[in-house]
Amino acid sequence: TEMAKFLGPSYTTEYIISHCFPEIGNSKDRVSCEVLPLENAKSFWSLIARVTLKWTSEEDRKKYPSSIFVKIPTITSNVRRADDEERSKQTLIDFTANEETFYRIMDNNWIPGFPFPHYYHGEEVGEIPGREGCLVLEDFSGRAASVDYVPGFTLPQIESLVDALASWHAFIFDHQELTNAINLFKIDDEIQDYLFSESQKLEQMCPEWFDDRITLLEKLFSADHANGAIRSYNELGIPAVLVHMDMNTTNVLWRKETMGTSKPQILSIIDFQQVHFGNLCEDLARILQIGTSAEMRRKHEKRFLDRYHQKLEKIMGNGNPVSLDQVHSAYLRVFPFVANFSLFAVVCYHSMYEEMEKDEGKRAEKQEELLKRARGIIDDIYR
């Protein structure tokens, strides 16, 4: 079947339907499927497809979705060009397990202001012999729009994301047991050494801006510093939250009709492969470091942090466990650690634009903007 061609011989249409909708008996008589693999040049860890479901009865058409979205854990060319094969395989296993666990423990809970896909079925890599894992989620085709790395998020979009993070964190503060269900996220020296060596490429890419400035920050790329930053909620005296850790522009879907307006609406946050419990400002720092210009970040940084705390206060009232001073301290504490991944991302995105952007002039502009963001991050760390 088309399903088996994309997912592998063990994944038939009947298998997927029976696991997504277990109440259905013999699916052959009730639904047929069309599988459309989707191109995504920005993907790192998965192949994706849209599966159209053609239900035979009107009752089923009203009850069940007309399409689903399928992710297959895969090491893409974006990873292969930059990473060691064996390490990539283990990373793929870990990321798939993280994401499947996230959707399972969230149990399709609706969090006002923080939408994420409806979860139908998931399997980790190697969880079932003969199957390489999959994730079946809500399909947003035709309704969603995303933003390119450059120009990045607009001011109203960042404000929406700040509100969304506050809403998610308020939910986690009230459900701290969820942080215990996620595997302990521990960064080792091998990962940090890799991030450091990749980030050092900026010194060759633009020596007039970066010459030796990243090399001199080597201690900030240590595993001890990274793990200390992730667990800094302890020293700050605040609860842990679930952290997405990859809140780049491609992992936020916006309602198409609100794009370009003063009130953009988030349709869904996606790709929870790196989810872990940690410092409440990790995601916000990521958004501001890599998702917008250095000028935008510097101009509005304090206001964004204040807005986050105000939103928490509005949702939780006297039950808010975090003071405004603690929010600012959490951001400063985690900023250099988040920069490990942001500088690495600049190198990756810079390389990706070589293939993705065919217009030489536009490519040069986008790559320069990425380098400016990296320069802004480094300048602020040195300050």
Side-chain angles (χ1 to χ4, degrees):
T1 66
E2 288 182 272
M3 192 81 76
K5 287 179 182 177
F6 180 71
L7 298 177
S10 298
Y11 290 101
T12 63
T13 298
E14 291 75 21
Y15 180 87
I16 293 295
I17 296 300
S18 67
H19 282 75
C20 291
F21 315 106
E23 69 278 11
I24 292 178
N26 185 0
S27 62
K28 288 183 178 180
D29 298 329
R30 296 178 65 171
V31 63
S32 60
C33 300
E34 289 184 3
V35 181
L36 176 64
L38 302 176
E39 294 291 331
N40 185 1
K42 298 176 183 177
S43 176
F44 281 75
W45 298 103
S46 61
L47 295 178
I48 55 177
R50 181 175 188 256
V51 180
T52 301
L53 305 177
K54 297 184 176 182
W55 302 96
T56 56
S57 75
E58 182 65 25
E59 182 180 355
D60 283 347
R61 284 193 289 272
K62 291 179 179 179
K63 184 176 181 180
Y64 298 107
S66 59
S67 61
I68 51 179
F69 181 86
V70 181
K71 289 179 66 175
I72 304 301
T74 304
I75 300 171
T76 70
S77 59
N78 288 325
V79 176
R80 287 195 299 270
R81 71 164 64 98
D83 203 358
D84 172 80
E85 184 176 354
E86 284 305 311
R87 180 170 57 221
S88 296
K89 288 179 181 177
Q90 187 57 51
T91 300
L92 181 70
I93 292 170
D94 294 342
F95 279 4
T96 305
N98 277 352
E99 188 163 32
E100 197 280 330
T101 300
F102 168 79
Y103 282 111
R104 179 168 41 78
I105 67 171
M106 293 305 293
D107 196 27
N108 288 322
N109 272 300
W110 182 70
I111 302 174
F114 190 85
F116 52 89
H118 186 92
Y119 168 74
Y120 293 106
H121 177 63
E123 296 173 9
E124 299 177 19
V125 177
E127 180 181 2
I128 300 176
R131 298 193 171 91
E132 291 305 311
C134 71
L135 199 61
V136 186
L137 303 168
E138 181 179 1
D139 176 37
F140 297 108
S141 299
R143 296 182 285 155
S146 62
V147 177
D148 196 3
Y149 303 127
V150 178
F153 296 124
T154 64
L155 177 59
Q157 285 175 330
I158 295 175
E159 290 173 340
S160 295
L161 287 166
V162 169
D163 293 348
L165 287 173
S167 298
W168 189 27
H169 295 169
F171 180 86
I172 299 301
F173 289 150
D174 283 338
H175 299 81
Q176 279 288 291
E177 71 278 4
L178 294 177
T179 62
N180 298 325
I182 296 291
N183 291 332
L184 181 66
F185 188 79
K186 185 172 176 59
I187 294 180
D188 59 30
D189 286 318
E190 185 179 14
I191 293 173
Q192 287 302 106
D193 289 345
Y194 173 68
L195 293 177
F196 180 59
S197 63
E198 288 296 302
S199 298
Q200 281 183 297
K201 291 179 180 179
L202 291 167
E203 296 179 346
Q204 286 75 51
M205 292 164 64
C206 190
E208 62 270 28
W209 286 358
F210 302 111
D211 191 29
D212 284 338
R213 299 187 76 207
I214 297 169
T215 299
L216 293 172
L217 296 176
E218 184 174 7
K219 66 180 181 180
L220 298 182
F221 282 82
S222 71
D224 285 344
H225 181 269
N227 290 308
I230 291 172
R231 291 156 189 52
S232 58
Y233 52 84
N234 285 321
E235 67 191 58
L236 294 166
I238 56 179
V241 299
L242 290 184
V243 177
H244 184 287
M245 202 183 178
D246 195 18
M247 293 281 276
N248 67 59
T249 58
T250 60
N251 287 336
V252 181
L253 303 182
W254 303 89
R255 293 189 181 276
K256 261 187 176 180
E257 65 274 17
T258 69
M259 290 290 283
T261 71
S262 61
K263 294 183 178 180
Q265 295 179 16
I266 301 171
L267 178 62
S268 185
I269 309 293
I270 61 173
D271 283 2
F272 290 85
Q273 294 163 324
Q274 299 182 56
V275 68
H276 63 275
F277 58 90
N279 181 307
L280 57 83
C281 282
E282 282 185 56
D283 284 331
L284 182 54
R286 172 75 177 211
I287 291 166
L288 297 182
Q289 285 186 7
I290 197 65
T292 191
S293 68
E295 292 77 15
M296 171 87 81
R297 174 174 60 78
R298 288 168 172 164
K299 183 177 180 180
H300 299 285
E301 204 166 47
K302 181 180 181 301
R303 186 169 69 82
F304 290 143
L305 294 171
D306 292 351
R307 183 187 181 103
Y308 168 84
H309 185 261
Q310 290 166 3
K311 183 69 172 180
L312 276 180
E313 293 273 276
K314 185 176 180 180
I315 297 171
M316 304 190 73
N318 293 333
N320 178 18
V322 184
S323 71
L324 179 58
D325 285 344
Q326 286 174 317
V327 171
H328 283 265
S329 295
Y331 182 79
L332 291 173
R333 178 66 175 84
V334 83
F335 190 92
F337 161 66
V338 174
N340 296 176
F341 289 86
S342 295
L343 296 175
F344 165 73
V346 166
V347 174
C348 288
Y349 301 164
H350 191 282
S351 175
M352 288 168 65
Y353 273 133
E354 287 292 335
E355 297 183 14
M356 289 167 37
E357 182 55 74
K358 304 305 180 184
D359 185 299
E360 188 174 337
K362 290 181 179 178
R363 180 171 65 246
E365 288 178 7
K366 291 178 177 181
Q367 290 176 325
E368 183 178 12
E369 169 56 26
L370 288 171
L371 294 177
K372 286 180 178 178
R373 293 178 192 180
R375 184 186 187 183
I377 293 167
I378 294 170
D379 285 346
D380 289 352
I381 289 175
Y382 272 98
R383 290 195 186 103

